[in-house]
Every structure is written in C-alpha cells, then in structure tokens.
C-alpha cells in the first residue's frame, strides 16, 4: 500500500487520500480511520473486492471529512485486509492548523453613502471564505 498524504492540513479545507493498494489476493475490506488521542473520530469501511485500486476512488476517501476536523494533531490509519486474512496497515500523522489569515473577505461593490430614514436600498458584493460560511448578517449602524 502506498499513501500520498500531507502532514499539515489547513482547517476547513477538504483533503483527498491518494495512493494505491495492491495485493495478490482480492482486498475484502478497506478501512480508513482518523484518530485523535487514541480514539477514532471518523471511520469508514468499504469492500473493494479487487487486487489493485486507487484509494482516492473509494468510499473511504469520499466519506472521511477532513474539512470538519478541529485544529489539532491526528493520525490517518488505513487497513487493507485480503480474502486470506492478511492485513496491511499504514498510518500517517498529520496536523490541522488554522490559517493565520482568517480567510474571510467582504467586498461590497455597491452601497449607499447616505440614507433617508424608512427608505430601502440595495447592498451588493461578495463574501468569500476558506472556511464554511454558516451565516452572514449585515447591519447598518449609526456612527
């Protein structure tokens, strides 16, 4: 089994597990675990039933959600078991770090500079983030 996986991830960003699993006998079970402090915080198992496959094409890769991990230290543990019961285990230690830049950008492109009480207006622009935006609230405040 070969694994191509970084040792540092940015908080909130998705990550794929790349690599291959090869065996003389078909792999009956392929398991991926994200471990923190000795306990699995995420786990996925699939049954590829193949002697050779790419990890990125498995449901293990598709269902381990690295973007949902809090900042901290983790281990990615992959276990392949063939039809004869032989296991191959590979582990990679990695760290999720929050970026120094909060990753949030607000770019208003059109807004009023004066406003009469009770009147309506349009505010346009974009809000982008390297993190998942859960909500956005705009307020008008008095100086």
């Amino acid at each position: 089994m070969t694994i191509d996986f970084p040792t540092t991830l940015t908080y909130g960003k998705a990550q794929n597990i790349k690599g291959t699993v090869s065996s003389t006998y078909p792999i009956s079970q392929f398991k991926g675990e994200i471990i923190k402090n000795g306990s699995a915080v995420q786990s996925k198992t699939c049954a590829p039933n193949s002697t050779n496959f790419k990890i990125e094409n498995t449901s293990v890769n598709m269902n381990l959600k690295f973007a949902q991990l809090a900042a901290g230290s983790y281990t990615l543990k992959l276990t392949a078991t063939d039809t004869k019961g032989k296991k191959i285990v590979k582990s990679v230690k990695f760290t999720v770090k929050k970026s120094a830049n909060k990753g949030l950008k607000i770019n208003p492109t059109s807004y009023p500079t004066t406003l009469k009480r009770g009147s309506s207006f349009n505010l346009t622009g974009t809000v982008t983030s390297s993190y998942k935006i859960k909500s956005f609230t705009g307020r008008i405040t008095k100086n």
Side-chain angles (χ1 to χ4, degrees):
M1 180 180 344
T2 62
I3 304 171
D4 179 13
F5 194 80
T7 56
T8 303
L9 304 181
T10 301
Y11 172 80
K13 290 200 173 187
Q15 179 64 49
N16 283 315
I17 308 165
K18 294 183 180 182
T20 58
V21 177
S22 298
S23 174
T24 305
Y25 300 102
I27 300 297
S28 56
Q29 184 181 66
F30 182 63
K31 182 177 185 178
E33 298 172 281
I34 300 173
I35 300 168
K36 183 172 179 72
N37 299 326
S39 298
V41 293
Q42 291 185 38
S43 179
K44 178 64 181 172
T45 303
C46 67
N49 293 315
S50 176
T51 57
N52 191 317
F53 60 89
K54 290 184 178 184
I55 296 171
E56 57 263 39
N57 295 334
T58 67
S59 62
V60 167
N61 178 59
M62 294 173 209
N63 287 284
L64 291 179
K65 305 297 183 190
F66 295 96
Q68 294 176 359
L69 297 174
S73 298
Y74 298 87
T75 300
L76 170 64
K77 180 180 175 183
L78 301 174
T79 306
T81 307
D82 69 20
T83 54
K84 298 291 185 183
K86 182 181 176 189
K87 289 185 179 188
I88 302 168
V89 179
K90 295 278 185 170
S91 296
V92 177
K93 292 180 186 254
F94 67 96
T95 303
V96 176
K97 292 188 176 184
K98 288 199 174 191
S99 91
N101 174 352
K102 298 295 182 198
L104 181 65
K105 293 180 184 173
I106 301 172
N107 183 25
T109 56
S110 172
Y111 52 90
T113 55
T114 60
L115 193 60
K116 289 184 181 179
R117 186 180 190 111
S119 64
S120 63
F121 66 95
N122 288 323
L123 174 65
T124 58
T126 58
V127 177
T128 57
S129 175
S130 57
Y131 305 121
K132 183 178 178 181
I133 298 173
K134 292 185 180 180
S135 68
F136 178 80
T137 303
R139 289 190 174 92
I140 299 174
T141 59
K142 183 178 179 181
N143 286 348

